[in-house]
Amino acid sequence: MSSPGVDGNGYSWTGTEFHVLSRRLTHPSQRRDTEPVLSSEDLKDVEKGPPNSYGSFNLRDCLTSSNEANKAVGIQPKHVGVTWEDLQVVVPAGKDHKTYIRTFDLHILQNGLTLVRSVRRFFSRNPPAQDGGAKTILNKCSGLAKPGEMILVLGCPGSGCTTLLKAIANQRDEYSSVHGEVCYGGTDAVEMGKTRKDETVYNQDDDTHIATLTVAQTLAFVLSTKTPGPKGGHPKISGQDSDIQAQEMLLRMLNMSHVSDTLIGDEFVRGISGGERKRVSIAEMMSTGAPVQCWDNPTRGLDASTALDCVKSLRTMTDMLGQTTFVTLYQAGEGIYDLFDRVLVLDEGRQIYLGPPSQARLYFEELGFKSLPRQPTVDYLTGCTDPNERQLCRGRSIADVPSTPEALEQAFRESELGFNLRKELEDYKVSTKEYQEASRRAVLLEKNSRVSKKGPYTLGYARQVMALARRQFQMRLQDRFQLVTSFSLSVILAIIIGAAFFDQKSTSNGAFTRTSVIFITMLTSCLDAFGELSIQVGGRGVLHKQTSYSLYRPSALALGNALSDLPFSVVRVLVYDVIIYFMVNLRRSGDAFWTFHLFNYMVFLSIQGIFRTVGFFFSSYDAAFRLGAFLVTSLVLSTGYLIPVHQMKKWQFWTFYLNPMAYAFSGLMENEYSELNLTCDGSYVVPRNGFNVSKYSSSLGPNQVCTLLGARPGSNTTPGRSYLLTAFDMDGGDIWRRNFIVLLGWMLFYQVTQILILDFFPRHAGSTFFRLFAKETSETRKLNDRLRERKASRLQARTADNVNPEIIATRSDVTASSDRGVFTWEGVSYHVPVSYGTQQLLSNVYGYVKPGTLTALMGASGAGKTTCLDVLAKRKNIGTVRGDILVDGHLTGPDFARSTAYAEQMDVHEGTATVREAMRFSAYLRQPFDVPKEEKNAYVEEMIEFLELHDFADAIVHNLGTEARKRLTIGVELASKPGLLLFLDEPTSGLDAPSAQNLIRVLRRLADQGQAILCTVHQPSSLLFESFDRLLLLENGGHTVYFGDIGPDSCVVREYFARYGAVCPQGANIAEYVLDAIGAGMAPRIGHRDWKDIWLDSPEFQLVKEEIRELKRSAASGQSKTAPTYATPFLYQLTVVTKRTFVTLRRSPDYIFTRLFLHLSTSLFVSLVFFRLGRSQRDLQYRMFSIFWVTVLPSLLLNQVLPVFMANRGIFVWEFSRGMYSPEVFAIAQMLGELPYCILCATVYWIIMIFVQGFGQGSAGLGGTGLQLVVIIFVELFGVSLGQLVAAITPSVQVGILLDPFIMVILEIFCGVIIPYADLAHTSGWRVWVYQLNPFTRLLSAMLSTELHGLQIRCKPGEFAVFNPPPGQSCATWANDFVNAFGGYLENPSDAQACRYCQYKVGEEYIVPLNMFYENRWRDAWIIFAFFGLNFVSTIAASRFLRYTKR
């Protein structure tokens, strides 16, 4: 064993401490002077956390000692080089390589045509024609990357950089086809994908994480799945210890130890900053230890210093571990560029250079492209592929310079570099054979015991499941709000159900309600599982990323979910069952209760398995919701409660045997009734006393009969087993021999289906490698033609005259303003609440922005730059802000939000809008109302041209790439024509170098015209940095380091830092240097004093305060201006927002089609179950059940509307913070947009219900069913408004969905069907109030009274109550008094025996006891509409006061 390494502070690091990070040995590589040196010096502020107790360390030294230690114990290296030949990638494309977004009407038409074509193809012998087309996005290219090499891939957005990385990483599922040969150390892509998938990983541009896990938990999970086996790790260190050590080193290496216990967070959950989230993604992929790593823009969102440190870490790990690393970067300084071994340049999918970085600039200069002074090489190389940015050398022209992608590709192939590349490729392919077997042996050593040698996983399946179970348990436990909400709602609902059915008696009157409470108890616990659809569909991104890293088999997640959920669901369902069971007074027996709980919990797990299976199988929530909602209908109808199995139609009864709920219901019923005897009483005795009739026996006499099914003649009690057999065709002996076994089988079956779907039918989130466009109108066609003409003319002018790009960017003054205010802030501090008290994020910040100036805000990642912008822009709604933020010396007014523009990091837009529509929407609502619409439209076209969005003007926002979406975010803010100030948070992040340069030129031009701009920048080049007038520099903790002028050639900033010992080297980028000087990265700061203390003691700070006082004095002489909060009046806002809502819904065909499908399928399924109803007593009850099923529609609508409303609310919060429109407008527009589809879906449901079931046979006739259409429309409006109300008052989809069963079960229990009105009327208090204030009560009353009014009832033979009159009396003599009092009729009044009594003669006799009256039908209908109005008004109020956004 080698001796331990010693760092600069004298701290000794054993060689084994970091062996787990390397995982493999590699030969020592040449030491570079670029490795990061981590330091804990001066980590006293809150953001950086406490000083690191380990001291500083050198990553290269650590890995060197680790390698030596691994050699000593015989751990083998794993080196995998990559070669690719004629690699070509093809994707599907529409006509002219454009794919147009489908609208709802076209979606319906296309589905109809698809059905017709399918039928024609079935009967046709001709093969089907191939639709659509294909587009090559990566043309044939070849190259190699050896172990220990880093390849920098450059190109403009859309040039194929991401595609190349995915192809190299062997992630090809989203492409139509991938041609050519890619080999990994001699192993082809097919074998690599099957057995060694874990050796090629891809890190995507976006950061996808579980928001409710901490940083440490996220990394611990990844490391636990990559713990090597006993032969692949050090024998003296356990796997758990090595994981802990690796985690600590990753956190320290990326300077994240201070946030290890902080939630990662997302747009809804507060967590770490965007830059820190990016570093978590980097650490996560580093943890995989894969020998081939592809990084897609890993430095996006990081400051220059941190970005350099991260790339240095990649360089060091590549050297020491022998990795092969591919990296795409949009912006990079020379320090980063020099770290790479090769650079690859792409232009529209064509490889135009692959060679040494040192020769790249010279190569393109020799081709004839001009290099600007101090222009970074990355900017220059990327600019050579951009016709709008590149310039030709003096004396060169387009005639002798290759300017098209094809010409550049051909020039490289014919160059000496191209020849050398082909020769090197052939030579390397021969040499890879010697590495291939060694790499295979290393892979086998790394695997744990009981792990397939042919699979890509390090851990065995059982350990994968346990790791996932721990993670999922942590995730659920830390989502406290949802956890508390679910338990609270479950307990409250159990109490309400128990109180509603309180203390059931063992009588015939209690048989129906006892059965109802058993069914409701089972149904409610099962409906709780419906929320699994959104959870599983929403977690698709994390699952895809982690399985692509080969951390675990996809199916392990299914078992991990099941195990982690058990502790929570067992307790919740047990408490729920205990409350209901004993409040209702179900059979008091220990074995009966535990059997009840067992069956109820097993059916919950079965239904949960069904919905998880559906969620895993479909790639979108709408598709999953369609099947899930249909399954709810079929499962409930075939349970045996509404229709016993022996009464089901022939086509339906098989659904009973495929329904887990049917077996659970049978088991629960058999458990309850097998040992129960029911006493006959009340309305079940025929004939009986009542309504001034007293001639009959008060108990069951010899001339009376008990009508309870299963009753025995002459007996006052009915055995429960007899009741079960007669009423439900259930046998008490089946509870264990059939129901339990089959239910257990279904539970296991759906667990197996989850495993099979995840492993063999994976569904990942849709790819956005192609763009969607809206079809052109006559107006947009003219505008697009004009944009293309102007683009072509500019390009022609540039080509002809080689004009400087800054001259080209100059246009007419469209944003000049002579009346702009001065923005100042003094002593601004910001504190936020945390678990241990408060935390300071900004400390005593001073500054100002004058009209006509461009101010840069810089600092390390996590230093508080975004926080500072949020505070200054008045976007914070939590925490405490101290200090003065003034405009012209006055406090900001209500119009401040719309007078400023704030382009934030997160690109939040309406996804179905086009680029032009999004910018017009901003212009219409934020520019003054008196500005003509034509002028606003013209200004939007100017902004489209400014931001070079010509080709995307009609592109759908949802499918835009990161770079185009960022430009759109800026364009939306510029379209508002801010009168006061423009804030921009990292506007150049995610942009390539030419786009960043062009954007800064646009900002510079706006500033020159009088606009005040405050902008955060992360990685500016020297040229970009000099475009700014002033710099506000922050260090960790939100402390000011410098605020003042930059000066020509940054002379003012250079002089300030040089005065205190930080002399910027000649030729260095001052923007990067000042960050290094203050210790923004992992290197220690320059100097002995903290730079914030230097600033506070500096004369510059005093000058800034004096300047602010002078600005306030001069500005305060004018009058304070007052202006309304919004730029446009209420009705105009409502018109514009409602129009967008209509367009959004029309372009969301899946959402509307899902609703239409649910209404059509539900109505059809229910109508087929109750097909062609007659006039019998049983048909009478079936009519009620059919109408009762309309009450299910609001539940389905709530679940569908809720996530859509919440997504729209997220967009509204962004737009409201900019003063676009009011909350009232948002809520009203959301409802107005839904109206046409509510009417459409209600009409479809009504048509099928009326004509298939045969409604309209009563006195009201078929014309009377029009009222039922009105009622269904009102119910539809009620359901949609209720869904929007629930969404408005809850913070997340998961919590909102929990309210669905809670609300619906209460409404359905107390509507007078499940608990008959007679039972409710005999009680007092809250149950009667709930009945009267229940919209479902009015629904049933209006529809059922209309349907049964005047309907003549004729009982079928099996429906009569048969009894014998006393000797000497006829049936009429004995029973006429009873019939006259209670209704119904005698079939054989003159007979002296076997009297046949039918309970109902006309429909009124059925509905009047239920408190339903035909004359009240319109009153009841309008009461339902009033409930809709109440929901609507409540939604408006909730939208105004509840937004659940914490910033």
Side-chain angles (χ1 to χ4, degrees):
M1 174 136 345
S2 63
S3 61
V6 180
D7 68 17
N9 292 339
Y11 184 86
S12 176
W13 292 89
T14 62
T16 60
E17 187 163 357
F18 293 97
H19 82 280
V20 71
L21 183 66
S22 64
R23 308 290 191 192
R24 295 289 172 267
L25 274 172
T26 180
H27 57 80
S29 56
Q30 182 180 0
R31 182 182 177 93
R32 297 173 182 262
D33 295 327
T34 55
E35 66 268 10
V37 178
L38 285 78
S39 174
S40 62
E41 203 172 317
D42 195 38
L43 299 181
K44 298 179 182 178
D45 56 72
V46 180
E47 286 282 324
K48 280 195 174 182
N52 197 320
S53 58
Y54 291 110
S56 61
F57 69 93
N58 184 289
L59 179 60
R60 184 176 294 276
D61 289 344
C62 292
L63 294 180
T64 300
S65 60
S66 173
N67 283 346
E68 292 172 354
N70 291 341
K71 282 183 181 179
V73 296
I75 299 177
Q76 298 299 315
K78 184 168 62 174
H79 295 159
V80 179
V82 182
T83 61
W84 62 98
E85 292 184 89
D86 296 332
L87 180 61
Q88 185 179 24
V89 178
V90 179
V91 298
K95 184 179 179 181
D96 299 326
H97 299 320
K98 272 190 176 182
T99 304
Y100 294 100
I101 190 170
R102 290 188 302 172
T103 55
F104 172 66
D105 47 349
L106 291 177
H107 185 75
I108 296 296
L109 179 61
Q110 288 173 356
N111 283 344
L113 293 176
T114 299
L115 180 62
V116 172
R117 283 197 297 264
S118 299
V119 174
R120 291 180 60 185
R121 289 171 184 171
F122 181 79
F123 293 101
S124 175
R125 296 182 179 180
N126 298 324
Q130 297 295 322
D131 296 330
K135 177 183 178 182
T136 301
I137 59 174
L138 184 66
N139 288 274
K140 292 183 178 181
C141 61
S142 304
L144 77 157
K146 300 177 181 178
E149 286 187 347
M150 287 181 65
I151 313 297
L152 176 61
V153 182
L154 298 177
C156 293
S159 61
C161 298
T162 296
T163 302
L164 176 64
L165 260 62
K166 287 186 176 181
I168 295 296
N170 217 11
Q171 296 191 13
R172 308 180 174 194
D173 294 340
E174 65 188 64
Y175 304 119
S176 294
S177 60
V178 178
H179 305 288
E181 182 181 14
V182 182
C183 290
Y184 306 87
T187 304
D188 61 48
V190 175
E191 182 182 349
M192 204 73 176
K194 291 180 179 178
T195 63
R196 299 168 63 182
K197 186 177 68 172
D198 60 321
E199 297 183 35
T200 58
V201 293
Y202 166 77
N203 180 262
Q204 61 188 10
D205 189 11
D206 295 329
D207 302 313
T208 306
H209 301 286
I210 298 174
T212 55
L213 290 182
T214 66
V215 173
Q217 289 170 341
T218 300
L219 296 182
F221 169 74
V222 179
L223 289 167
S224 69
T225 61
K226 286 297 181 179
T227 303
K231 295 181 181 180
H234 199 280
K236 295 184 179 180
I237 298 182
S238 67
Q240 184 177 1
D241 290 340
S242 67
D243 289 346
I244 294 174
Q245 293 170 1
Q247 177 181 316
E248 291 176 352
M249 192 190 76
L250 284 168
L251 291 172
R252 296 177 62 203
M253 181 177 69
L254 296 172
N255 198 18
M256 295 190 63
S257 299
H258 60 288
V259 295
S260 61
D261 294 325
T262 305
L263 296 181
I264 290 182
D266 57 13
E267 59 268 28
F268 300 108
V269 180
R270 277 185 59 206
I272 57 179
S273 68
E276 290 165 340
R277 198 172 294 124
K278 172 60 71 175
R279 281 181 275 171
V280 172
S281 299
I282 293 173
E284 197 174 29
M285 187 156 131
M286 284 180 172
S287 302
T288 65
V292 179
Q293 299 187 358
C294 299
W295 300 83
D296 195 352
N297 202 15
T299 62
R300 181 172 68 91
L302 302 181
D303 64 272
S305 182
T306 304
L308 179 60
D309 288 335
C310 288
V311 179
K312 284 180 178 179
S313 298
L314 290 179
R315 176 73 266 176
T316 301
M317 295 178 70
T318 301
D319 287 343
M320 303 306 299
L321 308 181
Q323 295 174 342
T324 306
T325 306
F326 295 80
V327 182
T328 64
L329 295 174
Y330 284 158
Q331 299 177 55
E334 293 301 309
I336 292 178
Y337 180 78
D338 292 338
L339 294 174
F340 290 89
D341 301 289
R342 301 175 192 263
V343 61
L344 189 154
V345 184
L346 293 173
D347 186 7
E348 295 186 8
R350 297 181 183 275
Q351 180 176 302
I352 64 173
Y353 182 83
L354 176 56
S358 59
Q359 300 181 32
R361 183 186 287 264
L362 178 61
Y363 170 78
F364 282 97
E365 287 177 346
E366 291 177 348
L367 287 180
F369 296 104
K370 180 181 178 181
S371 177
L372 300 177
R374 292 188 299 172
Q375 184 181 27
T377 305
V378 169
D379 294 11
Y380 169 70
L381 296 180
T382 308
C384 289
T385 67
D386 187 350
N388 296 316
E389 293 295 327
R390 63 191 177 201
Q391 299 182 46
L392 305 183
C393 296
R394 186 179 299 276
R396 305 294 295 272
S397 68
I398 194 69
D400 60 354
V401 175
S403 301
T404 64
E406 295 80 3
L408 287 167
E409 180 186 47
Q410 187 63 29
F412 175 70
R413 287 179 176 175
E414 296 174 354
S415 67
E416 183 180 356
L417 287 170
F419 174 79
N420 294 337
L421 175 64
R422 290 189 292 272
K423 184 177 184 302
E424 185 181 11
L425 176 60
E426 293 300 325
D427 294 341
Y428 181 71
K429 288 169 61 178
V430 177
S431 66
T432 55
K433 297 180 180 179
E434 62 183 275
Y435 293 104
Q436 189 171 2
E437 188 57 35
S439 180
R440 291 178 187 273
R441 288 195 301 269
V443 171
L444 296 178
L445 287 173
E446 186 182 52
K447 294 182 181 296
N448 282 267
S449 58
R450 300 180 182 178
V451 179
S452 171
K453 305 304 180 185
K454 296 182 179 180
Y457 305 104
T458 304
L459 290 185
Y461 193 74
R463 292 182 64 185
Q464 293 176 25
V465 171
M466 294 309 299
L468 282 163
R470 284 193 298 270
R471 186 194 72 179
Q472 298 299 99
F473 181 83
Q474 291 171 340
M475 184 176 72
R476 284 175 169 81
L477 188 63
Q478 289 169 187
D479 193 356
R480 299 293 172 83
F481 188 86
Q482 183 178 354
L483 192 62
V484 171
T485 302
S486 64
F487 271 78
S488 300
L489 290 177
S490 181
V491 170
I492 294 172
L493 184 59
I495 293 173
I496 292 175
I497 294 175
F501 295 92
F502 184 73
D503 195 20
Q504 292 293 302
K505 306 300 182 182
S506 300
T507 63
S508 56
N509 276 333
F512 178 74
T513 53
R514 187 179 293 266
T515 301
S516 297
V517 74
I518 291 173
F519 175 74
I520 289 295
T521 303
M522 177 193 70
L523 178 64
T524 305
S525 60
C526 291
L527 290 180
D528 282 341
F530 193 83
E532 293 291 336
L533 288 180
S534 61
I535 293 173
Q536 304 312 326
V537 174
R540 204 67 57 76
V542 174
L543 173 65
H544 177 49
K545 181 183 74 171
Q546 295 186 341
T547 52
S548 70
Y549 290 169
S550 298
L551 302 184
Y552 51 85
R553 288 180 68 93
S555 60
L557 178 63
L559 297 177
N561 275 334
L563 292 177
S564 66
D565 191 54
L566 285 177
F568 303 102
S569 60
V570 163
V571 175
R572 182 171 57 82
V573 176
L574 177 61
V575 173
Y576 174 81
D577 288 346
V578 167
I579 294 173
I580 293 178
Y581 195 89
F582 292 101
M583 286 187 68
V584 173
N585 190 29
L586 297 180
R587 190 160 65 92
R588 295 295 178 89
S589 167
D591 61 335
F593 167 74
W594 288 111
T595 302
F596 176 88
H597 174 62
L598 176 64
F599 273 84
N600 203 27
Y601 187 62
M602 287 177 64
V603 71
F604 164 75
L605 294 180
S606 299
I607 303 304
Q608 185 185 60
I610 291 177
F611 289 128
R612 283 181 174 173
T613 299
V614 173
F616 285 138
F617 184 75
F618 289 97
S619 57
S620 69
Y621 178 75
D622 284 318
F625 184 81
R626 280 197 290 270
L627 180 58
F630 177 75
L631 286 174
V632 169
T633 303
S634 59
L635 289 173
V636 173
L637 276 176
S638 60
T639 299
Y641 169 71
L642 296 177
I643 305 177
V645 63
H646 62 283
Q647 295 179 10
M648 293 180 181
K649 293 181 170 57
K650 292 182 179 180
W651 67 266
Q652 185 196 2
F653 80 93
W654 60 269
T655 61
F656 174 89
Y657 296 102
L658 296 178
N659 186 353
M661 290 175 62
Y663 295 96
F665 181 64
S666 298
L668 291 169
M669 291 287 287
E670 292 158 7
N671 174 66
E672 178 65 21
Y673 284 99
S674 292
E675 305 296 331
L676 194 68
N677 290 319
L678 302 172
T679 303
C680 191
D681 67 347
S683 61
Y684 284 85
V685 177
V686 174
R688 63 185 179 275
N689 296 321
F691 297 107
N692 297 321
V693 176
S694 59
K695 62 184 289 186
Y696 306 108
S697 173
S698 58
S699 61
L700 188 67
N703 302 110
Q704 295 169 292
V705 66
C706 181
T707 59
L708 180 67
L709 294 175
R712 293 175 296 189
S715 175
N716 194 38
T717 61
T718 302
R721 286 178 177 267
S722 178
Y723 172 70
L724 283 180
L725 185 62
T726 307
F728 298 97
D729 196 25
M730 295 179 183
D731 184 354
D734 288 340
I735 184 170
W736 298 111
R737 70 189 180 196
R738 187 193 74 165
N739 296 324
F740 173 77
I741 295 175
V742 176
L743 185 59
L744 179 63
W746 280 122
M747 188 176 70
L748 297 176
F749 172 77
Y750 287 115
Q751 195 64 50
V752 172
T753 57
Q754 295 175 59
I755 293 173
L756 295 177
I757 287 173
L758 285 171
D759 273 348
F760 300 104
F761 305 97
R763 297 289 190 273
H764 302 308
S767 172
T768 57
F769 60 78
F770 64 92
R771 296 186 180 91
L772 288 175
F773 292 84
K775 285 187 177 289
E776 290 182 331
T777 63
S778 58
E779 179 198 8
T780 58
R781 185 177 298 108
K782 294 178 182 178
L783 293 174
N784 292 336
D785 290 342
R786 191 177 306 154
L787 286 173
R788 283 189 287 267
E789 290 172 3
R790 296 181 66 169
K791 179 181 178 181
S793 63
R794 290 198 315 274
L795 184 60
Q796 184 178 1
R798 176 190 299 277
T799 303
D801 304 325
N802 203 20
V803 183
N804 186 281
E806 294 189 14
I807 299 175
I808 291 292
T810 303
R811 294 176 178 83
S812 61
D813 182 3
V814 293
T815 60
S817 176
S818 59
D819 187 17
R820 298 181 184 273
V822 177
F823 186 67
T824 62
W825 60 94
E826 297 178 88
V828 173
S829 297
Y830 179 58
H831 297 77
V832 294
V834 292
S835 58
Y836 50 83
T838 59
Q839 182 174 348
Q840 185 172 11
L841 300 183
L842 291 178
S843 177
N844 205 31
V845 181
Y846 286 77
Y848 56 86
V849 181
K850 297 179 181 179
T853 60
L854 179 58
T855 303
L857 174 56
M858 292 177 56
S861 297
K865 301 183 298 298
T866 298
T867 301
C868 184
L869 280 187
D870 286 345
V871 169
L872 296 180
K874 300 285 188 175
R875 297 297 195 266
K876 291 295 186 185
N877 55 21
I878 60 170
T880 304
V881 178
R882 295 187 178 91
D884 296 328
I885 302 175
L886 308 174
V887 176
D888 286 340
H890 302 285
L891 294 176
T892 56
D895 63 328
F896 179 75
R898 67 176 179 85
S899 299
T900 59
Y902 186 8
E904 303 186 44
Q905 283 189 49
M906 300 188 67
D907 305 315
V908 179
H909 303 285
E910 169 52 58
T912 60
T914 66
V915 169
R916 179 179 282 113
E917 290 168 351
M919 295 175 69
R920 281 185 173 186
F921 185 80
S922 177
Y924 290 164
L925 294 176
R926 298 171 73 180
Q927 290 189 26
F929 182 61
D930 55 4
V931 176
K933 182 178 179 180
E934 294 74 16
E935 183 178 331
K936 294 177 180 179
N937 289 341
Y939 183 72
V940 167
E941 296 305 309
E942 291 273 3
M943 291 299 101
I944 291 175
E945 195 172 0
F946 261 172
L947 297 169
E948 297 181 355
L949 290 168
H950 322 74
D951 298 331
F952 309 126
D954 289 327
I956 301 300
V957 172
H958 176 72
N959 286 71
L960 289 178
T962 303
E963 177 265 346
R965 187 182 286 254
K966 175 61 68 176
R967 282 190 279 169
L968 172 61
T969 299
I970 298 167
V972 165
E973 299 304 318
L974 293 178
S976 68
K977 245 182 182 180
L980 175 62
L981 187 65
L982 174 60
F983 297 98
L984 299 104
D985 193 6
E986 302 177 26
T988 61
S989 293
L991 303 183
D992 63 310
S995 297
Q997 293 171 5
N998 187 58
L999 174 62
I1000 297 299
R1001 282 199 299 268
V1002 171
L1003 296 180
R1004 179 68 266 171
R1005 177 185 170 280
L1006 291 174
D1008 292 340
Q1009 295 171 4
Q1011 182 70 61
I1013 302 174
L1014 179 59
C1015 171
T1016 64
V1017 284
H1018 267 174
Q1019 302 172 38
S1021 64
S1022 297
L1023 293 174
L1024 291 184
F1025 186 66
E1026 290 180 10
S1027 299
F1028 292 89
D1029 299 298
R1030 290 189 182 86
L1031 168 66
L1032 172 58
L1033 183 62
L1034 300 179
E1035 70 174 10
N1036 288 312
H1039 298 280
T1040 304
V1041 170
Y1042 176 80
F1043 177 76
D1045 292 342
I1046 294 176
D1049 196 23
S1050 308
C1051 61
V1052 178
V1053 176
R1054 290 175 185 271
E1055 189 277 330
Y1056 175 82
F1057 281 90
R1059 188 195 316 162
Y1060 298 103
V1063 180
C1064 180
Q1066 188 68 26
N1069 184 349
I1070 184 63
E1072 295 178 359
Y1073 178 77
V1074 294
L1075 291 174
D1076 291 335
I1078 65 173
M1082 290 180 283
R1085 68 163 184 255
I1086 296 176
H1088 299 290
R1089 292 187 64 195
D1090 195 312
W1091 285 95
K1092 70 175 185 296
D1093 298 329
I1094 295 175
W1095 168 250
L1096 294 175
D1097 296 337
S1098 68
E1100 284 82 358
F1101 178 53
Q1102 302 305 320
L1103 288 174
V1104 167
K1105 292 199 290 186
E1106 179 60 33
E1107 178 74 10
I1108 292 174
R1109 285 193 292 268
E1110 180 59 31
L1111 289 172
K1112 289 165 59 178
R1113 279 195 299 269
S1114 60
S1117 58
Q1119 294 294 323
S1120 177
K1121 301 177 183 178
T1122 58
T1125 303
Y1126 305 104
T1128 57
F1130 179 85
L1131 289 179
Y1132 183 80
Q1133 295 174 34
L1134 184 60
T1135 301
V1136 174
V1137 177
T1138 302
K1139 181 180 178 181
R1140 186 182 71 168
T1141 304
F1142 275 113
V1143 173
T1144 297
L1145 291 176
R1146 185 169 178 262
R1147 290 178 182 167
S1148 306
D1150 281 344
Y1151 173 69
I1152 302 300
F1153 180 76
T1154 295
R1155 183 179 302 177
L1156 183 63
F1157 171 83
L1158 288 179
H1159 284 74
L1160 190 151
S1161 61
T1162 301
S1163 184
L1164 183 61
F1165 192 88
V1166 173
S1167 297
L1168 291 176
V1169 170
F1170 302 113
F1171 182 72
R1172 306 306 297 172
L1173 295 174
R1175 297 170 178 265
S1176 69
Q1177 181 175 318
R1178 183 176 299 162
D1179 289 334
L1180 188 67
Q1181 189 173 19
Y1182 285 169
R1183 288 180 190 273
M1184 184 189 71
F1185 284 156
S1186 172
I1187 292 174
F1188 178 76
W1189 202 258
V1190 178
T1191 66
V1192 177
L1193 294 181
S1195 177
L1196 300 179
L1197 291 170
L1198 190 153
N1199 278 282
Q1200 192 200 19
V1201 168
L1202 188 141
V1204 173
F1205 187 91
M1206 284 192 172
N1208 292 338
R1209 181 177 67 182
I1211 299 171
F1212 156 69
V1213 168
W1214 247 255
E1215 294 173 340
F1216 173 74
S1217 67
R1218 286 148 178 78
M1220 286 192 181
Y1221 52 91
S1222 68
E1224 294 82 0
V1225 167
F1226 164 72
I1228 296 172
Q1230 289 295 303
M1231 190 65 241
L1232 291 177
E1234 297 276 2
L1235 282 178
Y1237 305 106
C1238 289
I1239 297 173
L1240 172 64
C1241 294
T1243 304
V1244 169
Y1245 189 96
W1246 171 79
I1247 290 173
I1248 296 174
M1249 179 183 73
I1250 295 302
F1251 293 101
V1252 176
Q1253 297 182 44
F1255 276 32
Q1257 299 180 29
S1259 298
L1262 193 61
T1265 60
L1267 170 68
Q1268 295 175 337
L1269 171 61
V1270 173
V1271 171
I1272 296 176
I1273 292 175
F1274 288 173
V1275 170
E1276 194 84 8
L1277 295 175
F1278 170 79
V1280 171
S1281 63
L1282 181 62
Q1284 294 184 348
L1285 175 59
V1286 171
I1289 64 175
T1290 52
S1292 67
V1293 174
Q1294 288 75 21
V1295 174
I1297 287 178
L1298 292 175
L1299 288 174
D1300 179 26
F1302 178 83
I1303 296 172
M1304 294 303 162
V1305 168
I1306 292 175
L1307 294 180
E1308 289 172 352
I1309 287 176
F1310 294 100
C1311 68
V1313 174
I1314 294 177
I1315 301 178
Y1317 173 73
D1319 293 345
L1320 291 171
H1322 292 157
T1323 63
S1324 59
W1326 64 275
R1327 290 196 287 182
V1328 177
W1329 281 101
V1330 175
Y1331 168 81
Q1332 294 292 348
L1333 297 176
N1334 190 341
F1336 290 175
T1337 300
R1338 309 305 165 185
L1339 182 159
L1340 289 166
S1341 177
M1343 293 189 68
L1344 201 58
S1345 64
T1346 302
E1347 177 60 24
L1348 300 186
H1349 175 60
L1351 181 67
Q1352 299 296 316
I1353 308 301
R1354 304 304 300 177
C1355 284
K1356 293 182 179 180
E1359 297 174 346
F1360 289 102
V1362 181
F1363 58 91
N1364 293 317
Q1369 295 188 33
S1370 67
C1371 294
T1373 304
W1374 170 245
N1376 264 348
D1377 292 341
F1378 165 73
V1379 172
N1380 292 334
F1382 289 92
Y1385 68 92
L1386 288 170
E1387 176 74 9
N1388 52 343
S1390 59
D1391 289 355
Q1393 62 180 359
C1395 303
R1396 295 189 297 277
Y1397 169 72
C1398 182
Q1399 187 176 1
Y1400 304 109
K1401 184 177 181 180
V1402 292
E1404 274 79 3
E1405 295 178 352
Y1406 183 81
I1407 61 175
V1408 169
L1410 296 177
N1411 195 34
M1412 301 177 185
F1413 303 95
Y1414 179 72
E1415 56 269 21
N1416 293 337
R1417 63 194 188 283
W1418 280 107
R1419 181 204 70 177
D1420 293 332
W1422 285 109
I1423 289 177
I1424 299 172
F1425 186 82
F1427 276 106
F1428 153 68
L1430 178 63
N1431 289 341
F1432 185 37
V1433 173
S1434 301
T1435 302
I1436 294 173
S1439 298
R1440 181 165 190 83
F1441 298 108
L1442 297 175
R1443 298 191 192 102
Y1444 294 104
T1445 53
K1446 296 181 179 181
R1447 298 188 59 181

